[in-house]
Amino acid sequence: MSSLDLALIGNSSVAALLDAQARVVWSCLPRFDSDPAFCALLRTEDGPQDRGGLFEVELADLERSEQSYIAHTPILKTRLYDRHGGGVEITDFAPRFRQFGRLFCPVMLLRQIRPIAGSPRIRVLIRPLCEYGARRPAITWGSNHVRYVMPDMDLRLTTDLSVTAILEETSVVLREPASLVLGPDETLHASAGETFRRFLDDTAAYWRDWVRGLAISFEWQEQIIRAAITLKLNAYEDTGAIIAAVTTSIPESRGSSRNWDYRYCWLRDAYFVVNALNRLNATSTMERYLDFIINMAACANGADLQPVYSVTGKGGIAEREAASLPGYRGMGPVRVGNQAYAQNQHDVYGAAVLAAAHVFFDARLALRSDQALFRQLEQLGDRAAALFDKPDAGLWELRGTKAVHTFSSVMCWAACDRLAKIAARIALEDRAREWRSRADAMHATISERAWNDKRKTFAATFGGEHLDASLLLLHELDFLRAEDPRFASTVRAVEQDLRRGDFVFRYSQPDDFGMPENAFAVCTFWYVDALASLGRADEARALFEGLIARCNQHGLLSEHIEPGTGELWGNFPQTYSMVGLINSAMRLSISWDQAF
């Protein structure tokens, strides 16, 4: 049965998910949001011959497996052992390093199979599929390669293993290392083995150097490093966009039909992701992402921003169902595209301005921080001021109802508040006074209309009774001071309404699909941060330790967690969740000067 106990490899151009036996069960090629050549994660098989959409090294008489990353890299090693004392080690990665004065991160997956004990007998199965699992590609071959004719690109496998053994899927006794390079239909300039060895060494060196440049806390170092690498792998190198997850349609809970395509870039995530990258000192990735966000804002030219864009910046990502894939554990539908792009979600204006504000205040960044950029951001502020008290779909992207959501309103206020601070920073005093006046008026309106005096809490909507977990961010967004009694009472109300054991749900009311069944992982991280802000550090640390214990064996989290079992659900690995881990760890850790 499929599970999310998966490892992620990639290079910011391509990504792949591998299971505990090193089977590539998910990879979209040539781009994060492309047709998945390997889609076994969303398929069900009637028998061995129906196994498709995977890249597998099958060890005869398999008994057990071991798997781990090479430290501080996304290079994965898997050891498979048979019942007769034989074993193989499989190394998987996607190349990323600098050469010829530029970054080399091609659409390419490399693997090597090495015998480590006995006389292991293996069978290599390479069965890509096209059109979301609907058909197999045409295949051609040469003396040392196999070519798969795909709609979006032709894939070429170059190998020093027997081509016949691959084509006919026959078993061979592995006596020496065999290398496989899967990438564009281009001839390699060296043998598969030589290419593998050089690319492996250079890629490992790149990642170790990258990790050495991170600023991390004293505690939870390994967890932070793995989360940081995961963020980097979810950043599309060509444009700087950061996707929410590499998968589509992993259900939020069992049989819920809450299956969405997350292979796109949500502007809402910008604020949280940029803050995490800033704390990590990952300025290059941060700059690329800021450039993407600023381009989206500039291209809007005063029109409404979409909540979500493709990795190329394309706006229209119409949603459809891929009937050819049954879905994760057969729990369809499988959706391609995301109709949320067409929703009104007013918090996006605050997210864009909050992210772009770093350009004006962080001296490390090379992006221009001039009056021209400020004028572009003012257009977003104008929209925020006009829409802050208007109904929208909210951050939870409700499809059936609209309301004036408090989080959206607060984010609109944040856009105007930060514009006032930016204007003061660049000595535009008249603009600073204008934006401060607008922000203060919005703050007063939100404080009056979103506050529920009967319950002594801010509500999820203006004039509402119910709560949602985004209210935990009122201090994080600087809307309320930590010592403001309204913040403490709001946190207590969220605890009462939304906490289930060690987890916080995003809301507790029925939506378009009924009652939520699993906890949205980042909401519990928000709760941890709120507790820390209120001085409840011991509680926050205990909850945080429990949360990171829910990571899979590779330190990765999906979108949702089933409270009773701790099982991961929802798209994977989830950027939001990994950002929450980073932010909470950095907040809770003792400082380096206290450490030793």
Side-chain angles (χ1 to χ4, degrees):
M1 182 173 66
S2 297
S3 81
L4 296 182
D5 195 17
L6 304 171
L8 172 70
I9 65 169
N11 62 2
S12 299
S13 291
V14 63
L17 295 175
L18 287 79
D19 69 8
Q21 296 176 27
R23 291 181 290 214
V24 178
V25 297
W26 183 261
S27 185
C28 300
L29 301 171
R31 211 171 62 196
F32 293 150
D33 56 355
S34 297
D35 189 3
F38 301 110
C39 54
L41 186 63
L42 300 185
R43 297 186 81 241
T44 54
E45 290 93 22
D46 296 326
Q49 293 308 311
D50 190 43
R51 281 162 39 205
L54 53 72
F55 186 172
E56 177 179 6
V57 178
E58 182 184 76
L59 177 65
D61 301 320
L62 175 68
E63 184 175 58
R64 62 187 176 90
S65 65
E66 301 169 356
Q67 194 174 64
S68 63
Y69 286 113
I70 295 177
H72 302 168
T73 77
I75 302 169
L76 187 70
K77 285 189 176 288
T78 308
R79 292 191 168 193
L80 305 177
Y81 297 93
D82 64 28
R83 294 196 297 269
H84 315 293
V88 299
E89 180 181 76
I90 306 168
T91 303
D92 287 286
F93 72 100
R96 182 182 176 91
F97 51 87
R98 300 200 70 84
Q99 68 172 1
F100 309 127
R102 60 183 183 270
L103 189 66
F104 179 67
C105 50
V107 178
M108 186 178 288
L109 302 174
L110 287 86
R111 70 188 335 179
Q112 186 180 76
I113 316 157
R114 184 172 68 87
I116 55 175
S119 300
R121 190 161 50 91
I122 65 164
R123 188 166 70 118
V124 176
L125 307 179
I126 306 176
R127 296 177 176 178
L129 294 173
C130 305
E131 298 167 9
Y132 287 85
R135 65 177 181 85
R136 296 180 184 271
I139 298 175
T140 64
W141 63 91
S143 58
N144 63 0
H145 75 270
V146 180
R147 182 169 168 265
Y148 303 90
V149 182
M150 311 285 284
D152 292 336
M153 71 176 295
D154 292 343
L155 291 173
R156 178 189 287 240
L157 177 79
T158 304
T159 183
D160 48 21
L161 198 63
S162 162
V163 169
T164 300
I166 290 173
L167 290 169
E168 298 187 4
E169 298 181 346
T170 54
S171 296
V172 297
V173 175
L174 189 69
R175 305 194 185 281
E176 58 186 19
S179 300
L180 303 102
V181 179
L182 183 68
D185 187 19
E186 301 169 359
T187 303
L188 294 182
H189 298 300
S191 69
E194 291 171 348
T195 299
F196 179 90
R197 286 187 292 273
R198 183 171 74 85
F199 284 12
L200 176 66
D201 290 345
D202 289 349
T203 299
Y206 169 88
W207 284 106
R208 286 169 179 151
D209 185 62
W210 187 79
V211 167
R212 278 195 295 271
L214 295 177
I216 61 174
S217 62
F218 175 73
E219 296 181 89
W220 306 295
Q221 293 182 37
E222 295 302 324
Q223 291 90 339
I224 293 171
I225 289 169
R226 184 54 53 192
I229 290 172
T230 304
L231 283 189
K232 183 73 170 172
L233 297 182
N234 279 22
Y236 186 55
E237 185 65 36
D238 189 55
T239 64
I242 297 180
I243 58 173
V246 303
T247 59
T248 178
S249 303
I250 309 298
E252 295 178 7
S253 57
R254 197 181 310 273
S256 65
S257 296
R258 300 174 187 265
N259 301 8
W260 314 113
D261 192 347
Y262 275 15
R263 299 171 297 162
Y264 308 109
C265 181
W266 267 258
L267 292 190
R268 175 178 306 109
D269 300 4
Y271 166 72
F272 302 98
V273 173
V274 167
N275 274 6
L277 292 172
N278 183 283
R279 287 171 176 167
L280 291 166
N281 195 41
T283 51
S284 177
T285 307
M286 178 180 167
E287 274 193 312
R288 297 283 291 140
Y289 190 31
L290 284 171
D291 196 34
F292 178 84
I293 294 163
I294 291 168
N295 279 333
M296 293 303 97
C299 291
N301 196 28
D304 287 346
L305 285 178
Q306 290 184 189
V308 56
Y309 293 85
S310 78
V311 295
T312 65
K314 179 183 176 183
I317 43 176
E319 186 177 298
R320 64 182 177 86
E321 293 184 7
S324 47
L325 286 174
Y328 181 75
R329 299 185 189 173
M331 299 176 192
V334 171
R335 293 188 171 96
V336 180
N338 198 305
Q339 204 60 30
Y341 86 91
Q343 288 185 345
N344 293 317
Q345 297 177 24
H346 300 154
D347 62 294
V348 297
Y349 301 100
V353 173
L354 283 167
H358 284 266
V359 177
F360 294 88
F361 292 94
D362 192 333
R364 299 169 299 173
L365 303 180
L367 294 170
R368 61 185 180 89
S369 56
D370 54 19
Q371 291 190 23
L373 175 58
F374 176 71
R375 301 297 183 192
Q376 290 178 338
L377 296 179
E378 282 195 300
Q379 295 182 48
L380 302 184
D382 288 336
R383 295 300 294 153
L387 296 170
F388 87 101
D389 59 352
K390 304 297 188 295
D392 73 347
L395 81 160
W396 307 121
E397 301 185 340
L398 301 175
R399 297 196 171 198
T401 59
K402 285 187 176 183
V404 182
H405 291 93
T406 301
F407 178 78
S408 297
S409 299
V410 169
M411 288 293 279
C412 287
W413 163 83
C416 299
D417 175 77
R418 298 328 188 259
L419 284 169
K421 292 176 179 177
I422 293 169
R425 175 80 169 183
I426 60 177
L428 296 176
E429 296 303 329
D430 59 330
R431 302 309 301 147
R433 286 191 295 272
E434 168 67 18
W435 285 111
R436 176 54 53 211
S437 174
R438 296 174 83 172
D440 288 349
M442 293 163 69
H443 195 288
T445 298
I446 297 167
S447 296
E448 177 185 354
R449 296 183 62 189
W451 178 255
N452 185 307
D453 196 54
K454 178 181 177 182
R455 299 195 62 189
K456 302 300 180 187
T457 181
F458 280 91
T461 58
F462 279 16
E465 295 260 342
H466 304 301
L467 310 183
D468 74 37
S470 67
L471 299 170
L472 296 167
L473 296 169
L474 291 175
H475 168 59
E476 182 78 17
L477 294 168
D478 290 332
F479 187 82
L480 296 177
R481 299 186 310 275
E483 60 270 23
D484 190 319
R486 293 176 299 173
F487 180 59
S489 64
T490 297
V491 173
R492 286 194 297 270
V494 169
E495 288 173 332
Q496 179 181 342
D497 282 19
L498 302 182
R499 183 171 175 178
R500 306 286 187 273
D502 290 338
F503 300 98
V504 173
F505 277 53
R506 52 186 173 181
Y507 46 80
S508 60
Q509 300 303 308
D511 59 17
D512 311 330
F513 295 86
M515 287 290 290
E517 296 177 31
N518 290 336
F520 200 83
V522 77
C523 295
T524 309
F525 286 119
W526 294 345
Y527 179 53
V528 166
D529 294 342
L531 292 180
S533 298
L534 293 170
R536 297 164 61 181
D538 290 343
E539 294 176 68
R541 289 177 69 90
L543 280 172
F544 179 73
E545 292 281 9
L547 263 178
I548 60 176
R550 301 300 188 182
C551 293
N552 75 7
Q553 64 166 323
H554 301 295
L556 305 180
L557 281 170
S558 64
E559 182 186 41
H560 280 75
I561 302 173
E562 187 173 333
T565 65
E567 185 176 3
L568 301 180
W569 288 88
N571 284 306
F572 176 89
Q574 178 76 3
T575 301
Y576 237 177
S577 301
M578 306 312 292
V579 164
L581 187 156
I582 291 167
N583 289 338
S584 294
M586 302 280 271
R587 183 188 298 269
L588 293 175
S589 173
I590 62 171
S591 64
W592 279 93
D593 57 9
Q594 296 175 302
F596 50 85

